[in-house]
Amino acid sequence: MELTQDQLIKLYTLMVRTRKCDELIVNALKSGKAIGFFHSGQGSEAVPIGACTFNLRDDDYLYPHHRGHGIGYMLARGLSPKPFVASHMGRVAQDVEGPTARERGIHGGSGTIGASFVLSAGMGITAKKNGKNQITACFFGDGSANRGTLHEAMNLASVWKLPIVWVCENNLYAQYMPLKDSMAREDIADLASGYNMPGVIVDGQDVLAVHEAVKAAVDRARAGEGPSLVECKTYRYRGHSEGGPDISHYEPRPAKELEEWKKRDPIKLFRENLLQQGVLTDADVERIDKEIEAEAETLEKYADECPIPKPEDPSVLDRLLYAE
Amino acid sequence: MKEIRFVQAINEALEEELSRDEKVYIIGEDVQAGTFGVSTGLVHKFGPERIMDTPLSETVIAGAAVGSAMTGYRPVAEFMFADFMYVAGDEIFAKAAKWRFIHGGTVELPLVFMASMGGYAKLGAEHSQSPESMFMHTPGLKLVVPSTPYDAKGLMKSAIRDNNPVVYLFHKRLLGLKGEIPEEEYVVPLGQADIKREGTDVTVVATGMMVQFALKVAEELKEKVSVEVIDPRTLEPLDIDTIIESVKKTGRAIVVDEDTKRCGVASEIMAQIMELAFDYLDAPIQRIAAANYPIPGGFMEDYVLPQTKDIKAAIEAIAD
Ligand SMILES: Cc1ncc(C[n+]2csc(CCOP(=O)(O)OP(=O)(O)O)c2C)c(N)n1
Ligand SMILES: [Mg+2]
């Protein structure tokens, strides 16, 4: 099925929104408004948006990759960015409209990298057992592919033909570790043959290519033919985490590398494509930018007004600890 | 003497031991850069063969340290966050801790498992834990939790020279703390507590960041209560004698622990005081520790982790 013009514009808009929300947190950390960590996903927006926006059913399970703290995945699933923004400021989101993350199959992310594989295997078991023809999409980084959990989960998923789509966001680095020094091969897609499943490599800067490749994998999983692996080649523009160095081992990452990748910026590439095809005009582009800029300003003001949690009675935590 | 930060103190200890013994090496994720700075710069002097950046693979970091230690090397395995040590549970709690015992004492495991620990940085449940009690609970592991730059350096040197697996946890919020250390080489032996402040009314036992909390409170209360602060420095071996001596003098004891209260380090130390000094106690022993919850993200961590005001209130109450 070809994507309609509206769908193409939606993909574009979602990528721009993802970038904007990411920038918002980067700036809020700089100004001291945000707290904790942030791992920017700038440069890789085509992966979550291309993979998730039109390929998944509302009830499919999705394990987001940690970059951008999952904002691309949330937006692609139609979730409000309010909780994302508020929580990075240490605040409790108020008046959130639209579906919750749980209602769109997102059940959180792990502080320990690599939990994604095994938890997704479990979601795959659920999807296979419950007869609803759901699938599970698991997103992970090149670095996390070196956790042993990958092997255990991919093997199990293949043996049991679980309906799982494994999508790697290969940005060539894991914190300060370049891929070339942490893997004896260049392509993560090669792993697939070890588990007797299809493995494809896709240009992670091309949102339509990501969409297509993941669509094929989703269709296969939904047809009961088992898991597949899609590797998206991409890059992260910023350092591993805000406030930290931007290095490879202990030296600055090559400036040329960043320059080259920025020439293939996923938003820029798609915009040029849509302008050329006449799907978008320059005026459209400007309007979209303005709307998203305005949304970001509203979000920031909104977050300022959300309350900092202060339990009158700390035993409210009990409700979080155990179910009834 | 010279003034030095906590992070530099560990760095110096690593550098000295790497120079002293070519069997010593560091293995872990991003150790060449040094995520927390403790191993930063060492690669320039010792090269990537001894400051080994690994893939994101904690299981093999821990397991390879065990395998290499039992065959003649002295690895310092780095886990970045202590929370990530859980990934290598079998390698740490079964292989490192038990291998010598189950092989009739024929194996030596001279290795260090090093990681940052602790909260107060708003990093949430999986980057803030204080897992001391798990290590202290496990026979076969030694456990070092330094609270000052002096101890951080001297204890790291002892940990590397020890012929057993030593877990070395440095608090991420102490790394900038300044303190004096001698110009010349020194070590701090494992198993010797330090009286960080002398006092006569109340004994406060604490490790790591909690020592700094206790010292702050002791200073604030000095006109009212004379507080003695004891830092065991290593929890295994535990210098219980120094603690008991202090309790016999003061008759009152508070144990402060950043870890979860239930079955925590404080519970163990408290139990030992009860066994050994019950007749000397003038009041029930108090435990100040984290509430029995995971550490919440953001500002909510204040409601779970122990705070200086809690220590202050406990001292005032017990001294009353
Ligand atoms: C078990 C575990 N080890 C290490 C870390 C620290 N850490 C967080 S993200 C990261 C790099 C992950 O690399 P990759 O999977 O390639 O994802 P990327 O960040 O590059 O998108 C590391 C080392 C962690 N959170 N959990
Ligand atoms: Mg990566």
Side-chain angles (χ1 to χ4, degrees):
Chain A
M1 189 198 69
E2 284 279 298
L3 294 175
T4 64
Q5 292 217 350
D6 282 351
Q7 285 179 318
L8 295 172
I9 295 170
K10 182 160 185 187
L11 288 179
Y12 176 73
T13 310
L14 282 171
M15 283 204 287
V16 181
R17 283 179 81 203
T18 301
R19 173 82 48 98
K20 197 78 220 167
C21 285
D22 191 297
E23 287 171 352
L24 194 161
I25 305 301
V26 168
N27 292 333
L29 271 167
K30 278 191 193 139
S31 68
K33 255 192 197 179
I35 57 166
F37 279 135
F38 188 62
H39 304 82
S40 166
Q42 290 175 36
S44 304
E45 291 84 355
V47 178
I49 303 305
C52 303
T53 308
F54 297 120
N55 289 326
L56 301 180
R57 278 182 4 200
D58 280 354
D59 64 342
D60 283 337
Y61 298 114
L62 194 172
Y63 195 109
H65 180 50
H66 80 104
R67 243 179 223 275
H69 292 185
I71 183 63
Y73 302 90
M74 299 177 215
L75 294 178
R77 295 297 264 159
L79 306 182
S80 162
K82 282 180 175 176
F84 167 83
V85 176
S87 65
H88 281 86
M89 317 283 180
R91 292 163 188 270
V92 188
Q94 309 289 302
D95 312 318
V96 181
E97 61 281 331
T100 65
R102 301 299 166 270
E103 286 165 354
R104 289 294 176 272
I106 298 178
H107 290 257
S110 172
T112 40
I113 296 290
S116 50
F117 303 110
V118 284
L119 299 192
S120 295
M123 297 180 200
I125 290 174
T126 297
K128 185 164 176 154
K129 276 185 186 293
N130 70 8
K132 294 183 187 163
N133 204 219
Q134 290 164 300
I135 68 114
T136 296
C138 172
F139 291 80
F140 63 98
D142 49 289
S144 61
N146 290 319
R147 280 285 314 276
T149 45
L150 172 138
H151 170 75
E152 298 185 28
M154 287 195 179
N155 180 57
L156 186 88
S158 256
V159 172
W160 288 354
K161 283 204 182 310
L162 300 179
I164 300 178
V165 178
W166 308 107
V167 186
C168 181
E169 189 171 314
N170 181 356
N171 60 11
L172 305 177
Y173 290 89
Q175 190 161 323
Y176 314 138
M177 173 56 100
L179 181 100
K180 65 175 170 54
D181 294 333
S182 62
M183 285 192 187
R185 56 172 192 282
E186 211 175 307
D187 300 321
I188 284 159
D190 289 352
L191 288 174
S193 68
Y195 307 104
N196 196 19
M197 65 181 168
V200 299
I201 297 172
V202 62
D203 177 0
Q205 305 309 87
D206 179 347
V207 68
L208 295 180
V210 173
H211 164 80
E212 285 300 325
V214 172
K215 183 175 189 309
V218 167
D219 289 347
R220 185 171 182 275
R222 209 167 319 269
E225 290 165 32
S228 321
L229 172 58
V230 177
E231 175 184 6
C232 307
K233 303 279 193 190
T234 184
Y235 196 73
R236 72 166 145 76
Y237 289 170
R238 303 185 60 81
H240 167 68
S241 68
E242 292 308 305
D246 186 1
I247 50 180
S248 171
H249 291 295
Y250 51 89
E251 285 168 329
R253 288 200 295 173
K256 189 120 188 68
E257 195 176 82
L258 177 63
E259 236 171 75
E260 287 303 311
W261 278 94
K262 279 200 163 169
K263 285 183 197 157
R264 305 204 63 254
D265 180 79
I267 297 175
K268 176 172 152 268
L269 284 184
F270 197 44
R271 182 173 53 229
E272 283 166 3
N273 177 344
L274 294 183
L275 286 170
Q276 211 167 21
Q277 286 186 56
V279 176
L280 282 181
T281 63
D282 287 329
D284 292 331
V285 169
E286 208 171 300
R287 179 182 42 79
I288 292 170
D289 278 349
K290 277 213 181 102
E291 280 169 11
I292 291 171
E293 188 69 44
E295 184 193 17
E297 271 170 36
T298 313
L299 275 172
E300 214 177 332
K301 285 204 198 92
Y302 156 85
D304 287 342
E305 277 153 29
C306 290
I308 286 173
K310 275 197 186 67
E312 306 270 282
D313 169 13
S315 76
V316 295
L317 295 170
D318 287 335
R319 190 177 53 81
L320 302 182
L321 197 59
Y322 297 113
E324 286 283 301
Chain B
M1 299 292 271
K2 63 175 178 185
E3 198 179 55
I4 191 170
R5 285 187 197 275
F6 201 106
V7 59
Q8 293 165 320
I10 301 177
N11 190 275
E12 275 194 9
L14 294 171
E15 179 174 353
E16 287 175 16
E17 293 308 299
L18 283 157
S19 300
R20 182 177 163 271
D21 183 349
E22 62 177 25
K23 300 282 190 196
V24 177
Y25 66 90
I26 302 179
I27 179 170
E29 290 158 29
D30 306 302
V31 291
Q32 292 174 3
T35 300
F36 287 96
V38 299
S39 58
T40 303
L42 297 174
V43 67
H44 299 301
K45 184 160 175 189
F46 301 103
E49 285 75 32
R50 293 185 69 200
I51 313 297
M52 303 173 79
D53 269 0
T54 67
L56 202 169
S57 310
E58 286 78 9
T59 310
V60 77
I61 294 169
V66 173
S68 164
M70 66 171 73
T71 49
Y73 281 82
R74 308 184 80 86
V76 177
E78 215 266 4
F79 292 89
M80 206 179 294
F81 287 84
D83 313 67
F84 307 162
M85 295 172 83
Y86 293 43
V87 161
D90 181 56
E91 290 66 31
I92 296 171
F93 294 107
K95 304 294 99 65
K98 306 188 204 319
W99 206 256
R100 175 183 171 79
F101 186 86
I102 63 181
H103 291 94
T106 56
V107 176
E108 272 186 10
L109 292 167
L111 64 89
V112 178
F113 291 137
M114 161 170 86
S116 75
M117 61 161 282
Y120 308 97
K122 301 191 179 67
L123 296 179
E126 292 177 292
H127 287 77
S128 307
Q129 295 172 93
S130 295
E132 297 96 295
S133 65
M134 301 198 308
F135 301 120
M136 192 184 186
H137 176 74
T138 305
L141 297 176
K142 295 190 178 182
L143 177 57
V144 176
V145 190
S147 69
T148 65
Y150 178 90
D151 292 345
K153 179 171 179 185
L155 289 167
M156 177 55 90
K157 288 171 71 80
S158 292
I160 293 174
R161 293 181 194 184
D162 201 282
N163 287 329
N164 297 284
V166 180
V167 177
Y168 182 103
L169 301 176
F170 58 88
H171 201 291
K172 56 177 79 73
R173 291 303 306 274
L174 285 180
L175 290 171
L177 182 75
K178 286 184 183 161
E180 300 234 299
I181 67 164
E183 299 280 353
E184 61 278 8
E185 193 182 3
Y186 69 98
V187 297
V188 174
L190 307 187
Q192 267 184 26
D194 187 38
I195 302 173
K196 288 284 190 261
R197 181 188 176 107
E198 290 199 28
T200 51
D201 297 337
V202 179
T203 299
V204 175
V205 184
T207 55
M209 180 94 168
M210 296 303 102
V211 173
Q212 297 302 334
F213 277 23
L215 289 172
K216 184 166 173 275
V217 172
E219 181 62 22
E220 283 169 20
L221 290 175
K222 71 173 177 224
E223 306 301 333
K224 284 196 273 183
V225 192
S226 168
V227 177
E228 179 145 300
V229 178
I230 309 274
D231 176 3
R233 299 196 286 198
T234 67
L235 289 167
E236 172 60 31
L238 176 67
D239 177 6
I240 192 67
D241 295 348
T242 300
I243 296 170
I244 295 301
E245 233 171 85
S246 174
V247 173
K248 284 182 177 172
K249 177 173 70 175
T250 62
R252 292 176 164 83
I254 295 171
V255 191
V256 189
D257 181 9
E258 191 180 328
D259 196 358
T260 310
K261 190 172 197 173
R262 186 168 60 217
C263 296
V265 167
S267 319
E268 171 60 27
I269 293 176
M270 212 174 156
Q272 292 199 28
I273 297 172
M274 288 293 286
E275 286 167 350
L276 299 169
F278 179 77
D279 291 338
Y280 295 85
L281 290 171
D282 297 325
I285 311 165
Q286 298 296 309
R287 229 177 348 166
I288 304 297
N292 294 323
Y293 301 106
I295 301 164
F299 298 102
M300 282 292 288
E301 79 172 13
D302 292 355
Y303 298 94
V304 169
L305 292 178
Q307 306 292 325
T308 48
K309 68 173 168 36
D310 304 325
I311 302 172
K312 197 169 182 177
I315 293 174
E316 284 173 329
I318 205 171
D320 216 19

